[in-house]
Amino acid sequence: MKTSKLLALLTALSAALLVLSGSIAVPILCRPFYYAHVEFLDLPGQTGLTAEEIRQAFNQMLDFCLGLRKDFAVGVLPWSESGRAHFVDVRGLFQLDLVLLLFSAAMLA
């Protein structure tokens, strides 16, 4: 049985998109990777913040970027309007990546 060229092309594109979007999504979603760096890089010593304050700021920012919270927050860290606008852009990119990951996985299922 001969596979159609269009189906083969769609399968190859879906597989490539799955690998690319997955390789972006894994580090975004792997919070323990970032938590490990808080102590390893001595961020509390360098910033004057506690490790818990750093994790809380990271979690709030990441939750916003993933669409898990509507309001932008970064714990006790100060932020500017241009910084918030940057994370609004990041939010769109993160969510686009996750949609593409799910779409490409569904195409291959």
Side-chain angles (χ1 to χ4, degrees):
M1 187 159 94
K2 198 174 185 183
T3 305
S4 77
K5 289 182 180 181
L6 180 59
L7 181 59
L9 178 64
L10 287 174
T11 302
L13 287 174
S14 294
L17 189 58
L18 180 70
V19 169
L20 180 62
S21 60
S23 65
I24 294 168
V26 167
I28 290 171
L29 298 173
C30 186
R31 292 181 193 215
F33 174 76
Y34 295 99
Y35 297 161
H37 285 81
V38 170
E39 298 298 332
F40 180 75
L41 297 173
D42 187 33
L43 295 180
Q46 293 184 41
T47 64
L49 300 170
T50 67
E52 181 57 34
E53 288 173 323
I54 295 169
R55 281 192 296 274
Q56 180 185 26
F58 173 75
N59 285 332
Q60 288 179 352
M61 179 273 306
L62 191 57
D63 286 348
F64 173 77
C65 290
L66 293 174
L68 300 176
R69 66 180 300 147
K70 293 182 189 257
D71 60 317
F72 176 73
V74 287
V76 297
L77 299 178
W79 52 272
S80 65
E81 189 55 37
S82 64
R84 188 193 70 75
H86 165 74
F87 283 109
V88 168
D89 294 340
V90 169
R91 177 184 177 128
L93 293 172
F94 279 16
Q95 291 177 351
L96 175 62
D97 180 68
L98 295 175
V99 166
L100 291 174
L101 178 64
L102 293 173
F103 174 75
S104 60
M107 291 293 292
L108 293 171

